[in-house]
Amino acid sequence: MKMKNLLYAGLIAVFALTGCARSGAASAAPSSASQPPAAPTAKSNNKTSDSPESGSSPASGTAGSTTGQSQTATADPQGVYHKITAEEAKTMIDNGGVTIVDVRRPDEYAAQHIPGAVNVPNEDINSEPPASLPDLDAVLLVHCRTGIRSKAASDKLIQMGYQNVYDFGGIVDWPYETE
């Protein structure tokens, strides 16, 4: 038990030092569940300059780390949430069998989006699974503008029963094709 508490304290310290901790959101639980075979090793690579986005909750968890620094991802106790990089998301998209979920507002989606992405605004995700995401076992790659709404939306999707949720942050960090 002492070792587990020490691990939590270490993770919290890392989050605080790298800017990952947001107000009231400095908790992390390492996952002992394994990822699906096609899933890459999860790393975080978001900017610390994330500005608050509409629809996010203060207790939505970690939102990012310093650009250029990688760290092991934190996952929920059930092992269904995974924080990954844009590069890892691109590899998963190229391998197929995933649904890209853009949780920005419709006007943001219309201005620029990843080809094939489904627009499900974070503000519209409530207690019922969205009609455009009928399969609770589908591999969902969730993103927003900077990574804040994607974490909040991922948390809500997991609470609804989705089993494979991968948050790759924001489109601002997406170096690949958009339309």
Side-chain angles (χ1 to χ4, degrees):
M1 190 64 174
K2 265 187 176 179
M3 190 66 156
K4 191 174 185 180
N5 288 340
L6 206 67
L7 177 62
Y8 287 141
L11 286 173
I12 291 170
V14 168
F15 289 148
L17 292 173
T18 61
C20 289
R22 298 287 188 223
S23 61
S27 66
S31 172
S32 60
S34 62
Q35 296 178 350
T41 302
K43 306 251 185 203
S44 177
N45 191 19
N46 287 342
K47 296 180 180 178
T48 56
S49 62
D50 274 350
S51 59
E53 298 181 76
S54 63
S56 65
S57 66
S60 63
T62 60
S65 67
T66 306
T67 301
Q69 290 182 347
S70 292
Q71 65 188 34
T72 304
T74 57
D76 63 301
Q78 294 81 29
V80 296
Y81 172 81
H82 311 277
K83 179 69 178 154
I84 62 173
T85 65
E87 294 78 17
E88 291 166 323
K90 176 68 167 136
T91 298
M92 292 174 74
I93 292 166
D94 291 345
N95 289 336
V98 300
T99 301
I100 307 164
V101 183
D102 186 328
V103 298
R104 298 174 300 150
R105 294 184 320 265
D107 62 308
E108 294 173 291
Y109 176 85
Q112 176 188 32
H113 61 271
I114 297 170
V118 176
N119 186 221
V120 181
N122 178 46
E123 298 81 7
D124 294 345
I125 300 173
N126 298 307
S127 59
E128 295 296 319
S132 56
L133 303 174
D135 184 2
L136 297 178
D137 292 320
V139 176
L140 304 180
L141 301 182
V142 182
H143 80 91
C144 60
R145 186 176 64 82
T146 62
I148 295 172
R149 285 178 282 182
S150 63
K151 173 61 172 129
S154 294
D155 289 345
K156 291 190 279 186
L157 291 168
I158 290 165
Q159 287 177 345
M160 278 185 249
Y162 288 91
Q163 297 298 307
N164 299 292
V165 181
Y166 294 82
D167 173 3
F168 67 96
I171 199 166
V172 298
D173 295 323
W174 183 256
Y176 308 103
E177 178 185 2
T178 60
E179 50 186 36

